[in-house]
Amino acid sequence: MRAAELDLDLDVFAGPFDLLMTVVLREEVALAEVELGEIVIAYLERVEERGELDLEAATEFLLLIASLLELKSRLLLPAPEEEAIELAPEEAAEELLARMLEYRRYRDAAAALAELYADASGYLYRSAPLPPELRRVALDAARPSYEPELLGVSIGDLLRHPPAPDTSHIRPTVSLERRLRVLRELLAGERSIDFDRTFGDGDKLTQAVTLFALLELHKQGEATWDQGEVFGPITIEAVR
């Protein structure tokens, strides 16, 4: 249960807890006259009625009550005269507000860290074991691995941009749908096209898929072709 949801009925105040904090900060109600013990009892009774405990809300309530108790103790029980510290009501209110803001800052930081942890929970990191030569080795033999010069070189290698990967071994992706689209666009502008002149500069994979596309167009009645002799030129014509 949030502290703001707590309704109070005290001798000097009746209303929600957050309103009490407001009037105390504005010095409309003297902190010395507020019964903090009654506030704690009212909070515990409310938590018991609900039958559940919100740790984050309880932490916020405990921080506020602890700050109020410390400030009230300073007002009611001053230090010895030689070490007496004057704490005006407005200074007490400013200190309480500063503690509340500090608590909120840490709470927001904790929420941000929890969100980052939740986002990274789906990743598993592999921990590589030590190399065999370092698993059972004397300290004197392993100590050179931690030399500053070697460490600097290793960090420098990590900061250096790696070279671009070689993708020359990866063949281009050629799909039947793309070759059909290319043939239809060419036949839409010209009545006939020469296969060698149009696709002769392409690689063998592209030419093979283009032939399959021609078979598909012939099957659908969209195009036909003619080859007068073996290994001769292939003329592709659109069926109008």
Side-chain angles (χ1 to χ4, degrees):
M1 184 190 71
R2 294 289 179 182
E5 303 175 5
L6 180 63
D7 291 327
L8 301 173
D9 188 7
L10 309 176
D11 294 338
V12 296
F13 175 83
F17 181 78
D18 57 346
L19 181 57
L20 172 62
M21 298 296 298
T22 302
V23 296
V24 168
L25 292 175
R26 292 179 180 178
E27 303 179 22
E28 298 177 4
V29 173
L31 179 58
E33 300 177 0
V34 178
E35 294 292 340
L36 300 180
E38 295 184 8
I39 298 177
V40 175
I41 294 174
Y43 183 82
L44 293 177
E45 291 177 350
R46 189 66 179 277
V47 170
E48 186 176 0
E49 290 176 0
R50 292 196 171 188
E52 60 181 8
L53 178 62
D54 185 346
L55 293 180
E56 182 178 354
T59 302
E60 181 180 359
F61 176 77
L62 289 175
L63 175 68
L64 294 175
I65 287 296
S67 300
L68 290 173
L69 282 171
E70 182 180 356
L71 294 176
K72 185 175 180 179
S73 65
R74 291 186 185 181
L75 294 174
L76 299 180
L77 302 173
E81 293 185 0
E82 63 273 15
E83 297 180 2
I85 300 177
E86 289 291 336
L87 187 63
E90 60 274 8
E91 294 175 345
E94 291 177 359
E95 184 171 350
L96 176 60
L97 180 60
R99 292 194 180 189
M100 293 173 60
L101 293 176
E102 185 178 6
Y103 164 74
R104 177 167 295 182
R105 183 165 59 250
Y106 281 105
R107 185 186 65 183
D108 295 343
L113 291 175
E115 184 178 355
L116 291 176
Y117 178 79
D119 293 340
S121 61
Y123 298 91
L124 297 177
Y125 298 94
R126 183 179 63 182
S127 57
L130 286 174
E133 61 271 13
L134 295 180
R135 293 179 186 176
R136 294 182 180 179
V137 67
L139 180 61
D140 294 338
R143 186 168 292 146
S145 301
Y146 302 96
E147 292 293 335
E149 294 79 5
L150 180 59
L151 182 61
V153 172
S154 301
I155 295 177
D157 292 339
L158 292 175
L159 298 177
R160 188 177 296 109
H161 291 285
D166 184 12
T167 59
S168 59
H169 62 284
I170 301 178
R171 301 185 64 86
T173 302
V174 182
S175 65
L176 181 63
E177 291 76 9
R178 293 181 182 177
R179 303 315 296 171
L180 284 171
R181 184 166 59 251
V182 170
L183 287 171
R184 288 188 176 113
E185 291 176 355
L186 291 174
L187 293 174
E190 301 180 16
R191 183 172 180 82
S192 63
I193 57 176
D194 185 274
F195 184 90
D196 292 333
R197 187 180 299 112
T198 306
F199 305 108
D201 296 335
D203 58 276
K204 294 182 179 180
L205 178 62
T206 302
Q207 295 182 7
V209 177
T210 305
L211 288 175
F212 280 108
L214 284 175
L215 292 174
E216 184 66 24
L217 292 179
H218 183 271
K219 177 182 177 181
Q220 297 180 9
E222 299 181 35
T224 184
W225 66 87
D226 180 68
Q227 187 178 27
E229 56 183 349
V230 179
F231 302 114
I234 299 175
T235 303
I236 306 169
E237 296 183 357
V239 177
R240 305 299 183 183

